[in-house]
Amino acid sequence: MDLQVRDITIFAENVAVGLRNFRTCLPEHSAEITNLIADLYAMSATLTGIEGLSRQFSRKYALIKPDLDMVLASLKYTLDDIITSFRKLDKKPRPDDYRHVWHDLDAYFREESNSYNLKRRLTKYRMFLQELEDMMRNKAPDVRFLTELRGTVMSLLSEQDGRLAASMAGLSLGRSDSSASSSLDPGSPAEQRHGPGKRRSYERARPGLRPSSSYFPPMSPTSSQDVPPPWVPEVPSSPTSTSTTTMSNLSSAILNDHWAKDIFAKAVSVTPILASGESSKCHGEEIENAKEWLHDEGFDEVAYLAFDEDSFKLSVSFYVREDDSRARILCKVQKSRRSNKYYCLPLNMLEVRRAGSSLQLCRRRRSGTELVPWVTLRFHTIEKMVTFFCTFIALRSQDMRRQVHNIRDFELDAEREQFGGLIVDDRYLHALRIYQDRISGSIRLQASVHEGELERAPVWTAFITHDINSSVWACRIGKKVYLRDLQRVVLFPDYTPPVTPRGEHVLKFTSDTDARGFIEVIRRFALTD
């Protein structure tokens, strides 16, 4: 991801914080200034969303990159001008000083934008960025509206480029190279003080859906440079598109970046399971031309795992449709080079049941009181079994077409929960648990959605059996636990693990009690190993 996107995101939030003083000192302009602050935080949120989507959908990001670069270039000019005007204020400015700077700003932007005031300019930036984010989410753009926005920003950027030399020569809002560079320096104290900047939803939503309106309160500052985020009104949404024009079908390229791609190759297999239970087999009804049907319906393969038996080969593939995250499973049984049988079902018609070293994906019958196996899969290591189990639950949870609201098979049989606590993880509230497998002895962490429609859906898991023996692997400072190494298997799009500059993984608990309890459980495992 371009550093410019992240820098502009922080820069916009800093300008919003600076405008708070103007709102306090200029009550007659408070409504307009409040709207400016809202637009700045809305753009920051949208850029954060685009940054996250770019890691998942790199091909789509390449398509919007030229427009995004143009918007960011013009937006940076505008934010530079505002920051430069802030420097006109004395250390102890009076309300009249704020009023003079405010009127200078208004006059400058109206002149540069052909009578557009700053509010209208920021609104156009915001709408343009929202359109680009919607395109990343495969939503059909309003072509006419997008073309109009592109022309407006392009004209403005041309004017800004042309006036740069004159601005440096001493216009009322002149800029210098040093001021422009320092304003985006992420290491400067001003950047470190930017704080959360906007309210975050604590509930994760299914991919492609907006977070709900429930929020968790900002955490207490952890350093003298942190400041609480300012209150910001609800951000208005962009105009509803009525265009029937659709983007070209890029689902195959997009799903190449799906979080489940190559997930089984990432699961390091080190802990064997004693073979027990049934061997791998399909119990359902064969479906002819299943692969062709999946392709025709817009599904693409995102994960594949093979199971070798004595007389045949069985493989399982997860298929996802990019438009609505619809998920299906395809089983292939190969008895000879020319004889293949296929079995296929939506994930939300199945539940997981463990039988020793095997997992059974079952259909419910008789009003949900009876589980009937559809496929049995026998594993040789606990890591592959857990990864498959979590991948299945995660893909099924993220399906937007036929949603599973009450996850009944959220825990793997024979695993015992040894710890449970709440963490703030990648801006969301997650439940962190430590599980120990009774059969293999394996120990792992799992972070799951704590509340909302995706409650108990896994976000990531990590196997820690061999880490807990190290006396320096985990340390606690207040509510935070730092882990020197953590190989997470990520099960959710747009997830960014909290990591320190030194590479330590951070578990930010919501209470000292949970943080202390986590360390105590880890130490107990180390003593009994």
Side-chain angles (χ1 to χ4, degrees):
M1 163 55 57
D2 292 347
L3 185 61
Q4 182 189 21
V5 175
R6 188 163 295 173
D7 288 340
I8 293 293
T9 300
I10 296 173
F11 199 9
E13 293 180 357
N14 285 337
V15 171
V17 171
L19 285 173
R20 293 170 61 195
N21 294 327
F22 284 79
R23 184 174 59 186
T24 301
C25 296
L26 305 177
E28 68 272 25
H29 298 290
S30 62
E32 182 179 359
I33 296 172
T34 296
N35 286 331
L36 293 178
I37 294 173
D39 277 338
L40 288 165
Y41 280 114
M43 285 187 284
S44 174
T46 301
L47 287 171
T48 300
I50 291 175
E51 181 185 7
L53 290 168
S54 70
R55 294 190 293 271
Q56 183 181 1
F57 304 135
S58 58
R59 303 286 180 88
K60 272 193 175 179
Y61 179 68
L63 293 178
I64 72 162
K65 189 67 164 59
D67 280 336
L68 180 62
D69 287 342
M70 180 178 64
V71 178
L72 293 183
S74 181
L75 177 58
K76 183 181 181 298
Y77 273 126
T78 299
L79 297 178
D80 275 341
D81 289 335
I82 298 173
I83 287 293
T84 302
S85 71
F86 288 174
R87 296 194 179 100
K88 291 184 175 182
L89 297 170
D90 296 328
K91 293 183 178 180
K92 295 182 179 180
R94 300 168 300 175
D96 282 346
D97 296 327
Y98 283 101
R99 188 168 287 105
H100 290 317
V101 170
W102 175 256
H103 288 309
D104 282 348
L105 272 172
D106 184 67
Y108 176 80
F109 287 123
R110 286 180 183 276
E111 179 184 358
E112 189 177 58
S113 304
N114 297 320
S115 300
Y116 281 14
N117 60 14
L118 178 58
K119 173 65 178 77
R120 190 171 180 184
R121 180 187 297 195
L122 293 186
T123 298
K124 287 187 176 293
Y125 287 144
R126 173 178 59 78
M127 291 190 297
F128 202 163
L129 290 172
Q130 184 63 64
E131 288 290 313
L132 297 181
E133 184 185 28
D134 286 346
M135 292 171 66
M136 290 284 290
R137 296 182 183 277
N138 209 30
K139 296 181 181 179
D142 184 333
V143 176
R144 182 177 298 178
F145 181 63
L146 191 61
T147 301
E148 178 187 339
L149 289 172
R150 184 183 293 115
T152 299
V153 175
M154 188 179 300
S155 298
L156 175 59
L157 180 58
S158 178
E159 181 72 17
Q160 290 169 317
D161 285 336
R163 293 186 63 150
L164 177 58
S167 298
M168 294 179 64
L171 289 181
S172 61
L173 289 171
R175 79 169 47 80
S176 65
D177 290 340
S178 61
S179 66
S181 61
S182 64
S183 63
L184 287 179
D185 179 10
S188 66
E191 297 305 315
Q192 296 172 6
R193 288 197 300 268
H194 78 279
K198 52 185 175 294
R199 300 184 296 174
R200 302 284 193 181
S201 169
Y202 69 73
E203 293 182 9
R204 284 196 175 272
R206 288 183 172 84
L209 298 181
R210 298 289 183 185
S212 72
S213 58
S214 301
Y215 300 94
F216 70 91
M219 303 303 293
S220 301
T222 57
S223 75
S224 59
Q225 293 180 329
D226 290 334
V227 295
W231 177 87
V232 180
E234 294 298 329
V235 178
S237 60
S238 60
T240 303
S241 172
T242 57
S243 172
T244 58
T245 304
T246 58
M247 297 181 65
S248 59
N249 185 3
L250 297 174
S251 63
S252 180
I254 292 167
L255 290 176
N256 282 333
D257 297 317
H258 194 277
W259 61 261
K261 203 71 177 177
D262 302 322
I263 193 167
F264 298 118
K266 300 172 186 176
V268 180
S269 298
V270 294
T271 310
I273 312 176
L274 183 64
S276 61
E278 296 184 50
S279 60
S280 300
K281 65 178 68 175
C282 288
H283 309 280
E285 296 181 1
E286 180 183 358
I287 299 178
E288 295 184 2
N289 302 318
K291 290 190 69 173
E292 290 78 3
W293 180 87
L294 286 169
H295 177 75
D296 292 342
E297 291 296 312
F299 287 88
D300 286 276
E301 183 182 86
V302 296
Y304 170 87
L305 188 60
F307 299 82
D308 289 329
E309 298 298 334
D310 294 335
S311 58
F312 63 92
K313 291 184 177 180
L314 183 150
S315 63
V316 172
S317 298
F318 288 115
Y319 280 76
V320 173
R321 185 163 56 199
E322 196 269 339
D323 290 342
D324 53 9
S325 297
R326 192 82 168 98
R328 289 181 177 267
I329 184 170
L330 178 73
C331 296
K332 173 185 174 183
V333 177
Q334 180 181 1
K335 292 191 174 182
S336 67
R337 291 185 178 182
R338 297 183 179 180
S339 175
N340 295 323
K341 292 184 177 181
Y342 293 95
Y343 308 79
C344 184
L345 275 182
L347 296 194
N348 48 32
M349 293 181 63
L350 298 168
E351 291 191 17
V352 184
R353 180 174 63 185
R354 180 178 179 181
S357 61
S358 299
L359 292 182
Q360 291 182 333
L361 306 186
C362 305
R363 300 186 66 172
R364 281 193 174 268
R365 292 181 182 173
R366 297 185 180 179
S367 301
T369 60
E370 180 184 0
L371 286 178
V372 179
W374 178 74
V375 63
T376 298
L377 304 172
R378 185 163 63 183
F379 295 84
H380 300 290
T381 65
I382 188 64
E383 288 82 7
K384 278 285 173 65
M385 174 185 279
V386 167
T387 301
F388 183 93
F389 169 76
C390 291
T391 301
F392 174 86
I393 299 295
L395 286 172
R396 191 186 63 186
S397 300
Q398 294 165 25
D399 190 321
M400 293 188 294
R401 180 59 64 88
R402 294 180 60 186
Q403 303 169 1
V404 176
H405 292 283
N406 297 312
I407 302 175
R408 293 171 288 201
D409 50 355
F410 51 77
E411 288 185 321
L412 194 60
D413 292 339
E415 278 195 329
R416 293 178 178 175
E417 181 180 324
Q418 303 290 350
F419 169 84
L422 296 180
I423 59 173
V424 178
D425 190 19
D426 190 29
R427 308 185 309 273
Y428 294 94
L429 191 62
H430 290 159
L432 180 71
R433 295 178 174 88
I434 300 178
Y435 287 108
Q436 183 179 31
D437 183 47
R438 180 174 52 82
I439 297 175
S440 66
S442 174
I443 303 168
R444 69 183 179 100
L445 304 180
Q446 180 172 306
S448 304
V449 177
H450 177 55
E451 292 181 338
E453 61 177 6
L454 288 176
E455 184 178 358
R456 297 301 301 240
V459 178
W460 59 266
T461 190
F463 304 98
I464 62 171
T465 309
H466 301 286
D467 293 316
I468 58 177
N469 294 321
S470 171
S471 59
V472 296
W473 176 63
C475 71
R476 180 177 72 91
I477 301 177
K479 297 179 182 179
K480 292 183 178 181
V481 171
Y482 297 88
L483 306 178
R484 295 192 65 177
D485 183 45
L486 193 65
Q487 302 298 320
R488 305 182 204 229
V489 179
V490 176
L491 306 154
F492 209 94
D494 306 334
Y495 174 77
T496 303
V499 180
T500 70
R502 294 186 300 179
E504 298 168 323
H505 291 254
V506 184
L507 303 178
K508 188 176 182 180
F509 288 91
T510 60
S511 70
D512 288 321
T513 302
D514 284 350
R516 189 183 306 112
F518 178 88
I519 291 295
E520 289 175 354
V521 171
I522 293 298
R523 289 175 178 171
R524 187 174 73 240
F525 277 131
L527 291 173
T528 57
D529 184 63

